[in-house]
Amino acid sequence: LEAVKGRESFVLSLSDGEVENWDTAKNDFVKLAQNNHYAHIHLGSRNKFSQDLETAGFPVFYVSSGEELSRLMVNVALGTYRRYVHQ
C-alpha cells in the first residue's frame, strides 16, 4: 500500500484474493486504489476480496489457468496497442 501513496499510478494486482487481514485493510486499500488506475486479475473463483473490489467499481478479470492468463494479457496488449497501429 505504501508504494502508491502520494502519487497517481497504474496498479495491477494478481492474486487468489486470500488476504488474511482483508477485513481490517479493505477500507484503506480501496481509498488508495481509488486514487490510482487500479485493476485486479483474480486467480480462481470469486471470493469476498474480488467481490468487494467489484462492488467498489474496480475491474476484476477472472482466470483459472496459465493459458487463460496468457490469453488475457495478449488481448489486453492488443487492445491497447491497436489504436497506435494503422492497418
Side-chain angles (χ1 to χ4, degrees):
L1 293 177
E2 294 297 319
V4 296
K5 277 188 177 177
R7 60 184 175 172
E8 188 175 343
S9 302
F10 171 71
V11 180
L12 179 66
S13 59
L14 173 68
S15 170
D16 64 1
E18 294 300 323
V19 180
E20 186 173 323
N21 65 336
W22 181 241
D23 287 334
T24 57
K26 175 182 149 183
N27 289 336
D28 288 338
F29 185 90
V30 168
K31 283 179 192 173
L32 282 173
Q34 287 172 333
N35 292 326
N36 294 280
H37 303 281
Y38 176 73
H40 176 68
I41 298 173
H42 194 80
L43 306 170
S45 301
R46 281 180 165 80
N47 61 16
K48 181 165 176 32
F49 176 78
S50 64
Q51 290 174 337
D52 286 346
L53 293 179
E54 289 176 321
T55 298
F58 300 115
V60 177
F61 303 93
Y62 291 89
V63 297
S64 59
S65 69
E67 184 178 322
E68 284 183 11
L69 178 58
S70 295
R71 208 172 316 122
L72 173 64
M73 297 288 71
V74 167
N75 290 338
V76 167
L78 283 173
T80 300
Y81 292 107
R82 183 169 283 139
R83 64 182 166 212
Y84 299 108
V85 178
H86 301 286
Q87 296 186 22

